[in-house]
Amino acid sequence: MLKKLVLGILIVAVAGAALAWLNRKSLILFIASNTGKVEVASNRTISWQQGPQTADMPASERPPNIVFILADDLGYNDISTFGGGVAGGAVKTPNIDRLARQGAIFTNAYSGTSSCAPSRAMLMTGRYPTRTGFEFTPTPDNMGRILSLISQDQPSGLPPVEWNQDAAEASPPFSEQGLPGSEVTMAEVLKDAGYHTAHIGKWHLGRGDEFGPNAQGFDESLLMASGLYLPEHDPDVVNAKIDFDPVDKFLWARMQYAASFNGGDWFEPGGYLTDYWTDEAQKVIRANRNQPFFLYLAHWGVHTPLQATREDYDAVGDLEPHRLRVYAAMIRALDRSVGDILDTLEEEGLAENTIVIFSSDNGGPGYIGLPEINDPYRGWKLTLFEGGIRVPLFIRWPARIPAGQEVAAPAGHIDLLPTLASACGAALPDGVEIDGRNLLPLATGEANALGDDTIFWQSAYNQVVRKGDWKLQVSQRPDKVWLYNLADDPTEQVNLAEEEPELVVLMSAMLEQHKKGAREPLYPYSVEGPVAVDKTLADTIEPGDEVIYWPN
């Protein structure tokens, strides 16, 4: 009897273990979804600081206001400014187009890198990671381990995400990964020049006493505390989960619907996130209409998880697949935000002397399975091909910048800090080496070029230099060199590395010189993810397809 009981227990245990193994991905996500969540209070009214009731001088005589609208993961072809638009042009972006044609369009504009956090660090500081050490996107504790487990046997045939436990253990805790407080940000430069500074939305440069927006020059910060646009089961939301993307699975398991004000407790935002940020941004503009202000509106849209309002979903029409329709609806909301901001500036009599900048932190990702978002450029977010780093950059300032100005010279986010400092008469920080250049002469039409036009990108073993029309990319995963003449081949179809060996040597020396004396990364990368350069994650990878690896 005892033997039968022991045997029965053993069978049940083995069966349970086998069942757990077969469902290990779901089990991991279930645990992730039900541990470590933060309590979120109900929505509250934000008490924005109110500026002077009357102005000391007319708006036209004050230093210019600045509104910087940054989208997240926006594809180059997601806006109709360049003749395209999401879903084959079915969904236009009239408000973003309006902003573009009323100012300067930079047709060769670049993000700092191809992933969120380091790109934003370069944007805020005007400095390369060789100086700041902020080279890799901070990875939440256990995220790498989870992704490596749930990315096994991907439908696309891509290898799984690689996680390095030793590197993860060598890194400081996630809460201590951020842009060092010793770095001087755009907000600090403008605050020192007398500006009221406000941040709304995503930050991604760390939190807490040293790293958060309030510690980095912002008087006020309404922070995206987590990443849902609306609660998953809200009656007004339409969701599109991406079953073939491990990161999307992780986000749905971990993300909450939450905001935080000036480092306080988490609370529910007041509506669909893109609209909520916009509503609050309009309040900031009105509160500060009588003094110079800098508003950094850092949208989460159109980053995953894909969520749209039902109204926007219905408005974009019957698009297929479902995720494309939700994505298009999110683009519509982003475009509406830009229109609302422009309208508010006009209503308050501030449009003429306000600099409005629109851009994206990097290119669109292949992991959402929408092949046309970066057309005509090759590659995705998490690659240094043009699709990963080529971004829209529009600067409108009616008082100084002629409408319809097109700038062909290469420019980047790293140039924005010195550009805004120049426009506002603000001093650059003493003793700090700024890598960016002042773009104002290009935007106003006073110059066609700015001397040295060399731009660098790097993420560990992925490195790029663009000099004039030539672009060299080197990598160790795979061990390969790519050389393109972007004037003749802007979509990077013909690799000239073997035909131009002397140029490869010359530009490789530029990369080595750039790295000479570089600061070590603040923390090591612990995650390496494979990315198919020419296919989305919804496609099947075949022999011969080009695959690169991206750290963190």
Side-chain angles (χ1 to χ4, degrees):
M1 186 67 180
L2 182 59
K3 289 183 179 180
K4 288 183 179 181
L5 180 61
V6 171
L7 181 60
I9 293 172
L10 183 60
I11 291 172
V12 170
V14 170
L19 185 63
W21 174 254
L22 290 173
N23 294 279
R24 62 192 183 282
K25 296 181 183 180
S26 298
L27 183 60
I28 291 167
L29 291 170
F30 176 80
I31 294 171
S33 181
N34 288 278
T35 56
K37 293 291 183 74
V38 177
E39 184 175 347
V40 180
S42 58
N43 178 251
R44 64 187 61 165
T45 300
I46 303 300
S47 298
W48 295 105
Q49 296 178 31
Q50 298 298 304
Q53 291 298 308
T54 59
D56 292 337
M57 61 183 69
S60 60
E61 298 178 17
R62 298 197 299 262
N65 305 308
I66 301 166
V67 178
F68 187 178
I69 306 172
L70 187 68
D72 197 316
D73 287 3
L74 185 69
Y76 197 82
N77 192 45
D78 285 338
I79 57 177
S80 45
T81 305
F82 305 111
V86 71
V91 178
K92 303 294 185 182
T93 51
N95 294 298
I96 297 173
D97 299 349
R98 162 188 163 198
L99 168 61
R101 67 174 177 265
Q102 290 177 347
I105 301 174
F106 287 79
T107 58
N108 275 278
Y110 291 98
S111 60
T113 188
S114 188
S115 59
C116 303
S119 178
R120 292 162 190 266
M122 279 179 266
L123 184 155
M124 275 287 142
T125 64
R127 284 157 55 87
Y128 288 119
T130 48
R131 299 192 193 280
T132 66
F134 196 89
E135 190 166 341
F136 309 119
T137 297
T139 304
D141 300 331
N142 292 318
M143 179 177 178
R145 185 200 304 267
I146 292 172
L147 289 180
S148 69
L149 291 171
I150 65 175
S151 65
Q152 303 289 329
D153 305 317
Q154 295 193 71
S156 66
L158 272 180
V161 172
E162 298 178 9
W163 176 66
N164 186 320
Q165 181 174 349
D166 292 339
E169 292 176 351
S171 296
F174 179 62
S175 60
E176 297 177 18
Q177 296 179 24
L179 182 70
S182 56
E183 294 294 333
V184 181
T185 69
M186 182 186 295
E188 289 172 302
V189 168
L190 294 171
K191 184 174 181 177
D192 287 346
Y195 277 70
H196 181 78
T197 56
H199 157 261
I200 294 177
K202 184 173 178 177
W203 179 241
H204 213 177
L205 297 177
R207 302 186 186 185
D209 295 340
E210 179 182 359
F211 308 123
N214 297 107
Q216 296 281 20
F218 285 99
D219 295 310
E220 302 177 280
S221 172
L222 177 56
L223 178 71
M224 185 186 82
S226 194
L228 291 184
Y229 294 82
L230 278 172
E232 181 179 349
H233 302 294
D234 189 287
D236 190 42
V237 75
V238 180
N239 304 311
K241 295 186 178 181
I242 307 172
D243 292 337
F244 48 78
D245 177 27
V247 174
D248 192 67
K249 292 176 182 291
F250 179 83
L251 294 181
W252 280 105
R254 293 297 302 160
M255 290 296 189
Q256 296 175 257
Y257 179 58
S260 173
F261 185 63
N262 288 342
D265 295 339
W266 290 18
F267 58 88
E268 289 192 349
Y272 181 69
L273 212 56
T274 303
D275 294 327
Y276 174 63
W277 298 144
T278 305
D279 292 344
E280 296 301 323
Q282 291 172 292
K283 294 176 185 177
V284 170
I285 292 170
R286 295 185 180 109
N288 295 280
R289 63 187 178 276
N290 292 321
Q291 66 180 352
F293 64 84
F294 168 45
L295 169 61
Y296 176 40
L297 175 55
H299 277 298
W300 183 222
V302 290
H303 197 294
T304 51
L306 300 184
Q307 293 184 287
T309 65
R310 191 162 297 280
E311 180 180 353
D312 286 328
Y313 181 79
D314 292 339
V316 298
D318 190 14
L319 304 176
E320 294 290 344
H322 173 70
R323 64 181 179 275
L324 174 61
R325 184 170 177 179
V326 173
Y327 186 79
M330 296 172 74
I331 296 287
R332 185 175 189 265
L334 180 66
D335 183 70
R336 178 172 60 249
S337 172
V338 172
D340 288 347
I341 296 299
L342 297 181
D343 290 346
T344 301
L345 292 171
E346 291 174 1
E347 291 164 6
E348 298 298 332
L350 302 174
E352 183 73 12
N353 198 31
T354 296
I355 299 171
V356 181
I357 301 173
F358 178 84
S359 194
S360 175
D361 64 343
N362 44 248
Y367 52 71
I368 60 175
L370 300 176
E372 298 177 351
I373 59 175
N374 291 329
D375 279 356
Y377 299 107
R378 185 184 184 205
W380 315 100
K381 173 187 178 179
L382 309 182
T383 80
L384 293 177
F385 290 90
E386 293 290 285
I389 54 178
R390 183 78 74 110
V391 293
L393 176 59
F394 311 137
I395 304 180
R396 189 189 84 161
W397 184 13
R400 287 282 309 276
I401 297 175
Q405 183 80 6
E406 284 203 6
V407 179
H413 286 166
I414 204 163
D415 299 318
L416 292 177
L417 183 147
T419 299
L420 293 177
S422 175
C424 302
L428 292 175
D430 291 334
V432 177
E433 193 74 26
I434 300 296
D435 295 304
R437 308 152 303 158
N438 176 16
L439 300 177
L440 204 56
L442 296 175
T444 59
E446 298 169 13
N448 294 321
L450 294 177
D452 187 7
D453 60 359
T454 310
I455 306 178
F456 296 95
W457 293 264
Q458 73 176 56
S459 183
Y461 43 75
N462 297 309
Q463 299 157 16
V464 168
V465 56
R466 173 169 176 166
K467 175 67 175 176
D469 292 327
W470 289 97
K471 177 183 175 184
L472 177 77
Q473 180 175 182
V474 300
S475 181
Q476 295 175 3
R477 298 198 70 185
D479 187 3
K480 188 169 180 177
V481 175
W482 299 265
L483 179 69
Y484 299 104
N485 183 329
L486 296 179
D488 299 332
D489 183 21
T491 60
E492 300 175 298
Q493 301 301 310
V494 182
N495 185 358
L496 299 175
E498 292 186 3
E499 297 179 27
E500 300 283 352
E502 294 182 0
L503 192 54
V504 170
V505 171
L506 177 63
M507 297 184 74
S508 296
M510 293 179 185
L511 286 174
E512 291 304 314
Q513 181 64 32
H514 176 69
K515 292 184 291 182
K516 188 173 292 185
R519 179 176 180 176
E520 288 294 317
L522 296 173
Y523 40 84
Y525 60 86
S526 58
V527 177
E528 295 174 85
V531 182
V533 177
D534 299 305
K535 290 185 174 180
T536 76
L537 199 57
D539 301 320
T540 300
I541 306 304
E542 299 171 349
D545 287 338
E546 197 146 48
V547 175
I548 66 100
Y549 278 78
W550 187 264
N552 271 36

